[in-house]
Amino acid sequence: MTNFKLIKIKYRSSSENKQFTERTIEPFAIYSTQENWLLIAYCRLRKDFRAFRLDRILDLLTLNEQFEPHDITLQQYFESCKKKSYS
């Protein structure tokens, strides 16, 4: 995460859902809830920050391409999530 390299992942959307997507992401932070470890990243497919459960990442490849770090803190990310949930 500290070298600002893009990551390509194969991701399962949920345990009930057997759908997989491939995403190119810009990793930002990793944190733990009481139940899961989450990777916060900017998703180039969705053009927004997303939380990816680590146990649902089936494949991961670090690409040679670097990205420009985002000007956001983890606190600002959580605040934007709150705003989205109230909308």
Side-chain angles (χ1 to χ4, degrees):
M1 286 187 350
T2 59
N3 63 10
F4 305 109
K5 296 225 176 180
L6 290 174
I7 295 177
K8 187 174 189 173
I9 61 171
K10 184 176 182 182
Y11 189 74
R12 185 181 72 234
S13 56
S14 71
S15 54
E16 306 87 39
N17 189 344
K18 300 295 183 202
Q19 280 191 306
F20 303 99
T21 58
E22 286 194 1
R23 314 271 184 114
T24 300
I25 60 172
E26 302 172 8
F28 172 63
I30 293 179
Y31 77 97
S32 174
T33 65
Q34 290 182 344
E35 299 162 0
N36 299 299
W37 281 92
L38 301 170
L39 169 62
I40 306 303
Y42 182 82
C43 176
R44 290 194 165 181
L45 177 67
R46 302 292 183 222
K47 297 183 179 8
D48 198 5
F49 282 92
R50 294 286 196 257
F52 298 95
R53 281 182 39 176
L54 292 184
D55 63 328
R56 292 186 184 162
I57 296 176
L58 304 173
D59 195 24
L60 182 143
L61 175 66
T62 302
L63 305 176
N64 284 328
E65 185 182 345
Q66 289 189 294
F67 63 90
E68 198 65 36
H70 294 272
D71 188 24
I72 186 173
T73 65
L74 194 54
Q75 183 64 36
Q76 290 169 325
Y77 167 78
F78 288 132
E79 287 170 7
S80 74
C81 289
K82 274 187 193 178
K83 288 177 187 173
K84 287 177 187 176
S85 66
Y86 292 127
S87 299

